[in-house]
Amino acid sequence: MADSGKLLTQLADRISYLIDIKGDAKWANLDELLDRVHGLRQSLFDITEARLFEELDRIEERVSFLEDRVAEKLSPAEVVNIVRSIQRFTLQDVLENVYDSYTELGGEGECNIDPAMVVARAIISRRVKNKLYRHQVMVIGHEKGRGEEFRNGGCARPWGNDKALRYMRVAETEGIPIHFFIFTPGSFPIEDYPGAAQQIARNLYVMSKLKVPMVSFISEGGSGGAEAIGLSDIRLMGAMGYYSVISPEGAAAIEGRIREGEKLPKELIRHCAAQLKMTAKDNLELGTIDRIIEEPPLGARREDYGFFRRLRYEMIRATDEVVLKTKSFRAFRAYALKQRAEEGKDIPEDFDVAIAWDLSDLEIERLLELRSKKYRGLGKRGYIQLKKGLRLGLGRARDMATKGYYELRYGLLRPHQRNVQKVIEEVSGEGTVFLKKVTEPVRAAYDFVFPKLERPRKVSAPESMERRSIFAEDWEQYVSPLANEDRTVTCPNASKYGCLDLWVPDLYGELCGVCPSCGHHFPLEYQWYLENLFDQGSVREFNTHIVSGNPLNFQGLDARLKRDIKRTGRKSAIITFDAEVKGIKLVVAMLYSDFRSGTVGSAEGEKFVRACDRARTTRRPFLAYIHTTGGIRIQEGTLGVVQMPKCTVAVREYIDSGGLYMVVYDNNSYAGPVASFLGCSPYQVGIRSSRIGFAGPRVIRETTGQDVPPDYHSARNALKRGHIQGIWDRREFRKNLYDALVTMGGPNLYYK
Amino acid sequence: MDINLNDLLRRYKSHPFEDYKLETPHTGIISFKVEDGQPVKGPSGKWLHKPGTLLYVLEREKNPKRIYAPCSGEVVHVRTELDGQFVEAGEELLSIRHRLDKDEIIDRILTQVLFIFGAPQRARFFLIPEMATKIERKSSGSICVAPGDEILIMSLMKRDTMIAYAGEPGVIYKVYFKSGDLVEQGAPLLGICSPEKLPYINKVIQRIKTEWED
């Protein structure tokens, strides 16, 4: 009877799991089946053993049949349900079953900085020729828990991601590899210091050049939250996991334009889940992960010890692979590793080789190079290149020639010039002091007898005379098309500060879209900035041949792209160009609102990376001016998400080589880009009346259940939280930018 | 303090409303969005960030300005004859008859009969320990204060300053803050009333609390 009780519990669990997957208890009368099991449990001692086991066999047979039927064809929405099931394995199970022993760091259980983010020092071992080899690793991952409220469902708070970063640095100091386990539906979208977006950006920035091998395993990869600990050398993914740019519910709300509080149609959620290409197989095809780890047909659960054995083997193998790639002599070991990989389903008891996981300086250099190459290569299939064949070849040749020229000019000649200059300065400095002592009395007497006449200063031509428009003819001045209306508008702060109504031609003309009473900035089109920020005729666009595409064949995106291309006359949501500000040459990347709300997809990411590289090659400051960005383009799925690490790697390399990277936010800047390549900049500034944040108020309300004040994302609050370093007035943008370039860039701008 | 509480109460009983008259903020062509007798809602949300019911649209120089109800109540005296017409600034358009609830009436009566001692600046306030103990033991109604009595401690940036009471002598009727609360400048700290009126006020408040129907 004791066994039958256990069998009944197992059967009830299996039926509940099927209900979780289908999301419907009525499917194949699962609810009735579950009631039968509960009924049997209650009448356990009232019926004969023979009848009980007969009934159990019948139910077991039915459950197995249904399990096979479900496993036969799992839809992406059902995969999401598997991952979210309470019976799915968690990080705790991984720590207990994959690693020999572990010590949790930075708190334990509820007593923790953030219980949703678990960090542990662990030991993982392998047997080679009857000898046991132990490896120390740092394990960092999300803990979804088993229904405990304090785990927050695996949504790491900003300080949880900060904790992860701290221990990544510890691992770097100690030279041990890091294993990441991603079990998060997304990051907890609050702006409290250190801020959801800013902290993810910091994590990505550090991880892009962390000097230890990193391997990550994805079970539930929810967008930005996953990226916070996802930039690794090898990305593994559970066969029943999902990795997505947004939850299917979030995508459904956007696609279906569902109002807040209204119920989302199930069919729409299923449709979006399928469109987002979030399963392991899809991600492998897209190249956003490296390998899939097989799971049982309906996904691994807490007691699937066979799966944990496989996971252990794969984590070791992946770490070996990362380490071996950095070795100059690795042919045989790499071959052995590959052979093992091809064996497929059977997991060997022993490993053929024991590979030490510590790296020399040279190997670390190689590791970082490979990581950079890996992430720079991501999402290449997500955009369209218009230049082909000969034109592309010519373009590349020109790029190489430019690179050669700047290498010669700044890489070879400039250091010598600087050294010589330095020596001359020092010698002349010494000489001046010496000569001053001798000549001072003579000079004083001379000045007394023949006083100097003050010379008039050179009068420079007024700046406006020099300017020439790219949108207007030489004889006319650029005026925002918004000004061509004879009407007035009311400042949104009128009730607070008593601002008077503003006449539109005045407002968008000489007032530059700024309320003269309270300073509120009305939005202006991006052309206004191109026109008023940079020197006359200095704006020269490049990489216009990279075009936004629809790599996932997302329904309806093609038409929307076509419409935006026609409306804007541009081919992506980013404009990259060379420009000058009062004679200082710089490279600019500008995300603007008119094209898919300034969302970042593969084309935008690639253009950003190339602009970054151009700034690096030409040794110029790099400005990211964000007219508006709505985040990552969800219709590109994970190809969009990987733009976060990709662009951050490029930014990190630019900054490391001595570049000056500045970000200026205007209007609205949210989500992925702020949580990666924008948020990692040491110099971030907001234009007055702009809003900066991770998630909008609706997402915050729906995720956290708390309302946020209307000014939660305002630039002023972002400044208070330390997310930006200042707020600029639009009318002084040019002046402030020039001052910032001179102040932060030093005399040579590109200051290394 | 020459206020007849009975009269005051009778007045509120016969007309438990407060009329908010709405005037045009500037010239323009008006189009009403509400009718006489229509109930309207005032701003809502934790930060009063959700506007109330749309009352009318005033258009001037192609700039339609939407005017929302500043408080909840019932719309009365809508000047429908002005609908679609040009109006001058300061023109009365409608009133919102706001029904006062129990707390609002008590607040109004108290502000008329009590002397309010406000916070001199934004800081944390404490009652002096003896006063706090007295209030704890006897309830506030029987503690007398006179001008010059040091009854409060103002704590700001770890610096404590004694605050002397300035105002009419009387008994402390109401303490508007909890010890250690951060109080904004000008916000009420204490409500003082003359000792002879105290039983009378208590009785009236009690009557409002028990008899008034919201």
Side-chain angles (χ1 to χ4, degrees):
Chain A
M1 282 292 174
D3 279 353
S4 58
K6 206 174 165 188
L7 278 172
L8 279 167
T9 312
Q10 280 172 357
L11 271 177
D13 282 350
R14 282 167 70 185
I15 299 168
S16 304
Y17 192 58
L18 280 177
I19 294 175
D20 281 351
I21 296 171
K22 295 306 284 186
D24 181 13
K26 297 274 175 222
W27 184 80
N29 295 330
L30 282 170
D31 50 348
E32 283 175 23
L33 210 58
L34 193 61
D35 286 345
R36 266 168 72 189
V37 174
H38 289 319
L40 275 179
R41 198 202 296 268
Q42 292 207 338
S43 55
L44 198 60
F45 299 102
D46 302 336
I47 52 174
T48 60
E49 199 165 320
R51 216 186 119 203
L52 176 72
F53 278 102
E54 191 184 320
E55 184 71 1
L56 276 178
D57 281 347
R58 218 173 294 150
I59 297 174
E60 209 279 329
E61 198 180 319
R62 173 81 181 142
V63 172
S64 300
F65 169 73
L66 289 176
E67 279 177 346
D68 290 345
R69 219 175 109 191
V70 173
E72 226 168 68
K73 205 181 174 194
L74 276 169
S75 70
E78 285 164 354
V79 170
V80 174
N81 290 341
I82 287 179
V83 172
R84 288 179 184 169
S85 169
I86 193 86
Q87 296 188 38
R88 177 97 175 151
F89 67 97
T90 67
L91 180 59
Q92 202 65 39
D93 302 304
V94 173
L95 280 169
E96 276 163 19
N97 297 300
V98 172
Y99 296 92
D100 297 3
S101 64
Y102 69 94
T103 309
E104 213 174 312
L105 306 171
E108 207 174 329
E110 199 172 2
C111 187
N112 210 321
I113 301 167
D114 181 9
M117 179 67 77
V118 165
V119 181
R121 270 296 295 260
I123 290 172
I124 194 164
S125 61
R126 70 168 111 194
R127 190 175 289 278
V128 181
K129 291 172 199 157
N130 284 330
K131 200 178 166 195
L132 200 67
Y133 291 86
R134 289 167 185 276
H135 299 282
Q136 298 260 3
V137 288
M138 186 69 84
V139 178
I140 300 175
H142 305 102
E143 177 55 58
K144 281 173 83 81
R146 288 165 192 179
E148 303 95 338
E149 200 186 337
F150 61 83
R151 292 289 184 192
N152 205 18
C155 293
R157 292 180 171 86
W159 40 95
N161 285 328
D162 176 54
K163 168 183 159 186
L165 182 64
R166 203 165 75 231
Y167 286 103
M168 283 180 216
R169 288 204 170 109
V170 171
E172 189 181 37
T173 310
E174 295 179 356
I176 56 171
I178 309 176
H179 288 175
F180 294 109
F181 290 90
I182 299 164
F183 290 89
T184 184
S187 192
F188 203 64
I190 46 172
E191 296 297 330
D192 303 51
Y193 189 81
Q198 303 278 322
Q199 189 55 48
I200 296 173
R202 263 174 237 137
N203 282 23
L204 282 171
Y205 186 77
V206 171
M207 287 165 90
S208 61
K209 294 290 165 196
L210 208 68
K211 293 170 184 167
V212 286
M214 296 186 286
V215 176
S216 59
F217 169 81
I218 303 171
S219 166
E220 183 173 18
S223 192
E227 291 307 323
I229 55 167
L231 197 158
S232 53
D233 298 300
I234 285 192
R235 288 174 160 205
L236 306 173
M237 189 166 168
M240 290 298 146
Y242 84 78
Y243 174 36
S244 171
V245 62
I246 190 170
S247 67
E249 290 82 2
I254 296 170
E255 284 297 301
R257 295 179 189 277
I258 309 290
R259 282 189 183 176
E260 194 175 351
E262 279 178 25
K263 203 166 161 46
L264 296 163
K266 273 191 177 174
E267 206 42 56
L268 185 63
I269 298 173
R270 273 187 219 123
H271 171 73
C272 285
Q275 293 267 296
L276 286 170
K277 302 272 190 294
M278 50 168 64
T279 62
K281 207 174 148 204
D282 291 331
N283 274 298
L284 189 67
E285 271 173 30
L286 294 172
T288 50
I289 57 160
D290 297 288
R291 257 201 313 271
I292 296 177
I293 299 181
E294 282 304 317
E295 286 188 49
L298 283 179
R301 279 174 265 178
R302 281 178 219 150
E303 285 88 26
D304 282 319
Y305 300 109
F307 168 73
F308 293 128
R309 222 176 116 234
R310 178 178 289 279
L311 183 59
R312 186 173 149 274
Y313 171 76
E314 291 287 357
M315 290 308 283
I316 295 175
R317 199 184 121 205
T319 319
D320 278 351
E321 204 177 312
V322 176
V323 172
L324 268 187
K325 276 185 184 165
T326 66
K327 309 273 180 198
S328 43
F329 184 70
R330 60 173 185 273
F332 295 112
R333 288 176 294 178
Y335 177 74
L337 212 63
K338 206 176 166 197
Q339 285 293 96
R340 281 290 185 195
E342 280 165 6
E343 279 171 19
K345 286 183 181 176
D346 298 327
I347 311 161
E349 283 296 328
D350 286 4
F351 276 77
D352 287 343
V353 281
I355 298 163
W357 288 349
D358 50 337
L359 302 176
S360 66
D361 287 348
L362 207 68
E363 286 161 355
I364 289 170
E365 216 169 279
R366 176 114 179 101
L367 175 81
L368 300 184
E369 254 173 49
L370 287 168
R371 194 181 298 156
S372 164
K373 204 174 158 194
K374 173 187 167 73
Y375 281 93
R376 279 168 172 272
L378 285 179
K380 288 271 183 196
R381 52 174 283 192
Y383 58 87
I384 305 156
Q385 281 209 72
L386 289 184
K387 270 189 202 169
K388 275 181 186 149
L390 189 64
R391 282 184 69 196
L392 197 66
L394 280 173
R396 275 186 193 150
R398 199 178 54 219
D399 285 349
M400 280 174 73
T402 313
K403 202 173 174 182
Y405 167 73
Y406 282 104
E407 273 300 318
L408 188 72
R409 185 171 162 185
Y410 292 106
L412 286 173
L413 302 179
R414 180 59 73 84
H416 288 298
Q417 187 194 348
R418 276 188 191 162
N419 287 340
V420 171
Q421 211 169 348
K422 213 172 166 185
V423 171
I424 291 171
E425 268 171 22
E426 277 177 16
V427 170
S428 79
E430 287 291 322
T432 311
V433 174
F434 175 71
L435 282 174
K436 206 175 171 187
K437 289 272 177 203
V438 179
T439 58
E440 188 76 6
V442 182
R443 181 182 286 266
Y446 181 85
D447 284 350
F448 182 74
V449 178
F450 307 104
K452 263 185 194 170
L453 289 172
E454 206 169 296
R455 280 186 189 176
R457 283 180 188 172
K458 274 186 185 175
V459 180
S460 58
E463 207 178 88
S464 58
M465 296 288 282
E466 299 167 7
R467 303 184 49 73
R468 197 184 300 148
S469 167
I470 58 165
F471 293 103
E473 296 297 330
D474 282 352
W475 47 269
E476 62 183 3
Q477 213 178 0
Y478 175 84
V479 180
S480 167
L482 292 168
N484 298 335
E485 259 187 303
D486 178 19
R487 66 181 185 98
T488 60
V489 287
T490 308
C491 175
N493 297 328
S495 57
K496 204 171 169 188
Y497 301 115
C499 313
L500 297 174
D501 279 6
L502 298 154
W503 191 45
V504 164
D506 273 351
L507 175 66
Y508 293 110
E510 61 182 289
L511 295 178
C512 303
V514 179
C515 171
S517 314
C518 70
H520 173 79
H521 283 40
F522 288 79
L524 274 178
E525 71 284 355
Y526 72 91
Q527 291 92 336
W528 188 93
Y529 293 91
L530 284 176
E531 201 50 51
N532 290 289
L533 194 56
F534 307 106
D535 293 352
Q536 57 160 91
S538 68
V539 173
R540 272 184 300 276
E541 269 191 64
F542 53 83
N543 285 330
T544 47
H545 65 287
I546 296 174
V547 183
S548 285
N550 184 8
L552 305 187
N553 290 322
F554 201 96
Q555 208 176 333
L557 181 63
D558 283 325
R560 286 181 233 172
L561 282 175
K562 211 178 270 178
R563 192 187 60 205
D564 283 354
I565 289 171
K566 197 177 166 193
R567 197 179 59 191
T568 60
R570 299 191 178 276
K571 297 179 186 83
S572 66
I574 196 169
I575 312 169
T576 49
F577 53 92
D578 291 321
E580 285 177 35
V581 174
K582 296 191 185 180
I584 296 177
K585 288 177 180 167
L586 69 161
V587 177
V588 187
M590 181 191 260
L591 281 165
Y592 65 103
S593 60
D594 301 2
F595 196 100
R596 310 290 329 118
S597 306
T599 48
V600 173
S602 306
E604 287 76 14
E606 181 67 21
K607 280 180 84 173
F608 186 89
V609 169
R610 290 192 189 189
C612 206
D613 289 348
R614 189 182 177 96
R616 192 174 157 200
T617 310
T618 54
R619 267 77 168 172
R620 283 177 191 167
F622 183 40
L623 169 74
Y625 168 68
I626 311 306
H627 182 254
T628 277
T629 181
I632 298 295
R633 191 169 300 151
I634 60 162
Q635 292 86 355
E636 290 199 18
T638 40
L639 281 179
V641 182
V642 291
Q643 303 309 315
M644 290 170 67
K646 176 177 171 171
C647 296
T648 312
V649 166
V651 164
R652 173 78 194 246
E653 282 166 8
Y654 170 69
I655 293 177
D656 281 355
S657 62
L660 171 63
Y661 174 52
M662 288 188 66
V663 174
V664 181
Y665 300 106
D666 203 347
N667 301 312
N668 297 307
S669 307
Y670 285 109
V674 183
S676 54
F677 56 93
L678 303 177
C680 68
S681 164
Y683 307 112
Q684 298 173 64
V685 179
I687 298 291
R688 185 160 294 147
S689 304
S690 59
R691 282 173 291 272
I692 303 137
F694 184 57
R698 178 180 169 169
V699 176
I700 297 177
R701 272 195 297 272
E702 283 174 357
T703 318
T704 66
Q706 286 175 342
D707 207 354
V708 290
D711 64 344
Y712 190 61
H713 293 111
S714 68
R716 195 179 146 76
N717 278 329
L719 185 64
K720 274 188 190 174
R721 295 181 190 115
H723 296 174
I724 54 173
Q725 281 77 51
I727 298 177
W728 287 354
D729 194 298
R730 181 188 288 149
R731 294 163 295 188
E732 289 172 352
F733 191 176
R734 182 174 155 84
K735 178 187 163 291
N736 284 336
L737 180 63
Y738 174 76
D739 288 348
L741 285 172
V742 172
T743 319
M744 292 158 194
N748 302 309
L749 287 174
Y750 196 82
Y751 45 82
K752 263 190 191 168
Chain B
M1 297 290 275
D2 280 342
I3 293 163
N4 189 331
L5 277 170
N6 260 341
D7 279 358
L8 204 63
L9 201 59
R10 204 174 303 127
R11 207 164 64 225
Y12 278 122
K13 269 212 158 163
S14 63
H15 188 81
F17 302 105
E18 194 154 282
D19 280 4
Y20 291 91
K21 283 177 187 164
L22 270 90
E23 296 173 348
T24 46
H26 55 67
T27 57
I29 293 167
I30 190 127
S31 59
F32 286 106
K33 301 291 171 192
V34 284
E35 290 169 356
D36 246 342
Q38 188 179 322
V40 290
K41 282 181 183 169
S44 58
K46 199 174 170 185
W47 299 274
L48 298 178
H49 56 291
K50 292 174 190 162
T53 313
L54 178 64
L55 296 176
Y56 62 90
V57 177
L58 185 64
E59 187 172 337
R60 180 179 65 175
E61 291 175 13
K62 295 175 197 163
N63 177 19
K65 193 173 283 178
R66 296 158 76 84
I67 309 290
Y68 298 94
C71 62
S72 59
E74 189 184 310
V75 177
V76 287
H77 311 313
V78 182
R79 292 182 63 193
T80 41
E81 75 275 10
L82 293 177
D83 202 17
Q85 303 289 314
F86 178 83
V87 288
E88 293 290 342
E91 187 86 47
E92 259 182 44
L93 292 174
L94 53 90
S95 297
I96 295 175
R97 181 162 289 173
H98 173 69
R99 191 185 166 84
L100 297 167
D101 62 21
K102 210 185 288 181
D103 294 337
E104 282 174 321
I105 288 176
I106 293 174
D107 271 356
R108 273 167 177 72
I109 289 177
L110 287 180
T111 45
Q112 286 186 51
V113 297
L114 296 182
F115 173 78
I116 302 291
F117 182 63
Q121 67 179 85
R122 186 177 185 270
R124 289 187 192 283
F125 286 88
F126 300 86
L127 282 163
I128 56 165
E130 304 91 79
M131 191 67 79
T133 330
K134 270 187 196 172
I135 287 177
E136 216 171 87
R137 280 193 201 144
K138 300 179 184 174
S139 84
S140 55
S142 56
I143 297 154
C144 294
V145 284
D149 288 357
E150 291 189 331
I151 50 169
L152 290 164
I153 301 165
M154 184 173 77
S155 175
L156 189 69
M157 293 303 291
K158 295 180 181 172
R159 186 175 294 165
D160 292 350
T161 316
M162 296 296 279
I163 303 288
Y165 171 69
E168 291 170 20
V171 293
I172 299 176
Y173 181 79
K174 195 169 181 183
V175 180
Y176 287 94
F177 68 99
K178 277 185 205 149
S179 230
D181 269 3
L182 190 71
V183 184
E184 293 294 326
Q185 189 187 12
L189 288 173
L190 302 170
I192 312 292
C193 87
S194 59
E196 61 273 19
K197 284 209 169 177
L198 185 67
Y200 191 43
I201 294 174
N202 275 337
K203 206 171 148 190
V204 171
I205 301 294
Q206 198 56 38
R207 258 177 69 189
I208 296 171
K209 276 185 181 166
T210 50
E211 291 172 20
W212 208 274
E213 285 169 17
D214 273 343

